[in-house]
Amino acid sequence: MPRLSLICHLPWFKRTGYFKNAEATGHKDKVSSISGHGGTFNIGTSVYAVAPTPCRLLPVSRLDKLRKKSTRRSLATVFLVPASDKGANETVTLDWITNAVENYTASDGVFHISFLETVIFKGGGKKKPRISPKAQKYLFEQGTRDIILWSDAVDLPPGPYYKTGNQMRDVWKLEDDTYGTCMVTVAPKSDPSESFQPLHWIGTRHQFPSFALPSKVQTGDTVDFESKPLAGWRIVVKDNIRLKGTKTSQGNRAYYDVYDASKEIAPCIQKLIDKGAIVVGETKMNSFANWEEPIEYTDYQAPWNPRGDQYQSMGGSSSGSAAAVAAYDWLDIAIGTDTWGSVTRPALWCGCFGLRPTMGAVSGEGIEPLCKEWDTAGLLGRDLQRCIHSAMQWLDMEKMVAEPKPFTSIIWASDFWSIIDDTQQVNSAREFARRMGSILSVDFDTWAVSPPQEAQGLSLREYIEDAIEVQSYDAYHNFEDFRRRYQEKFGHTPYVSPRNQGMWELAKGMSKEERDRGFHKMGVYRKWFNKTILNGKHFNALVMMPLEKMEPRYRDEVPTFPRPPQGGVNALALGPVMKSPVLAVPSRHIPQLPKKPT
């Protein structure tokens, strides 16, 4: 069976640093009292959180009890000292500790020199390491008060901690969600089987929640990357994918009020966690994954796009995921879902890479369905190599429709590009395609020349036009349980946004037979496309096409543009209909965004 891959070529708005936090400098303030939610403290302008429960207990010596060190509170750092080849006590030298501190500082945005208040050296063997006088002097000059030496018998990963006597607690650096991308942020989990715990800390601007970032040293630098290839990677997850312990809103307050916190986690997210990834938040979305522009958000405020003047549309429906990964350098990847462009469109507007995988490559269990025929989880990221690495760990190659093979040609989708009247955008895309290899300009609308027998003489538009609306049937009926539960609980029907009201009204007048005929027509189109377009040397073609025309689209503007941008099987629909992967690629940025007229 031929395999189609789509690459969406698009420009993006340049990110500005308006909301960027200042670097952490200065001294350590007192730690607030530790409650059931933990405590907080400051290092300069940076805010840190202390986990509510200890993660490790250190042995307490009789001498420590006499000196009352068993109740002392301090910041602490653990260093792993490799075992000596000869089995002797390894000595911490001045060069070793200065290099170790420099590496922690360079590789870990959570670590700060203030965490050297207590330093714990953990040996790599059965014997405790030793420390040279010069190394001790260096540490005391950095503010170290206590140096503790332990053997490998003590289970204590490296990195920064908060120490209360013999209790070691995780510390997390708090970062504001300044672009309002998340419905809820969650505490990092030490045990993958535990439920997620929503965080209760509000950002320094008192507008948005805070993310809790674990140390990269603890979560990634010393982990076996063969078993944990995503160790330390921070991710966010769209709010229609189940996380154990959190409530799902689907962008709708009524939905949030009906259902309890999830008792299970979606397998596609558990797979990432098992590979070492750390979930730090659940992102906002268009309500019920329907196409909504920012001004159409009804129940929750739309995320803010970090690109351009920061008042542009974020696209959707995975709007929060795209905005988050575009805005926050500490975030590695974001997970969204895609039915008809819900990953690739926000990638376009937020200037990042967006991958809709081949159907079946990611488990759909635990994802609230819109239209199961086309629903799939997808990923977004700033760096293509990181996207590739995460995809290789995430996708189930055995369940893909076809084994990945090298592309045989590049096809320029002429009729899809007709929606773009921006010559610069078209020329930029052509140059991008030219550098990848020779391209063949193909008009997909060859239906008139070689139509399938099922069309019975109808044009492509006449045959397929009514079929593109069949997903609304599934979108409506998949939420029957929600409407019933809400009616029983509150005594009236739930409110949904005008966009969803329109879709549901359309679906009410559609029969199951009409729905099935529509999907049958999509199947006919897929077979025709494979036979007519993907033949000969183009059997495994890469298709270049635009998603939308890029131009300023302000968040407070009422949309007047066509949705979708074309009729029939358009650029947003081709991948889902063909069950093929789609990759959105940012090609260039617009250096100066025109100001909105006043």
Side-chain angles (χ1 to χ4, degrees), residues 353-368:
F353 295 95
L355 173 66
R356 174 197 165 89
T358 300
M359 284 298 296
V362 179
S363 170
E365 184 183 349
I367 298 176
E368 304 300 337

Side-chain angles (χ1 to χ4, degrees), residues 561-592:
F561 53 88
R563 291 183 277 183
Q566 287 176 308
V569 181
N570 52 72
L572 297 173
L574 186 60
V577 171
M578 297 301 297
K579 302 185 181 299
S580 301
V582 185
L583 177 65
V585 176
S587 61
R588 65 182 178 91
H589 69 262
I590 301 173
Q592 182 61 50

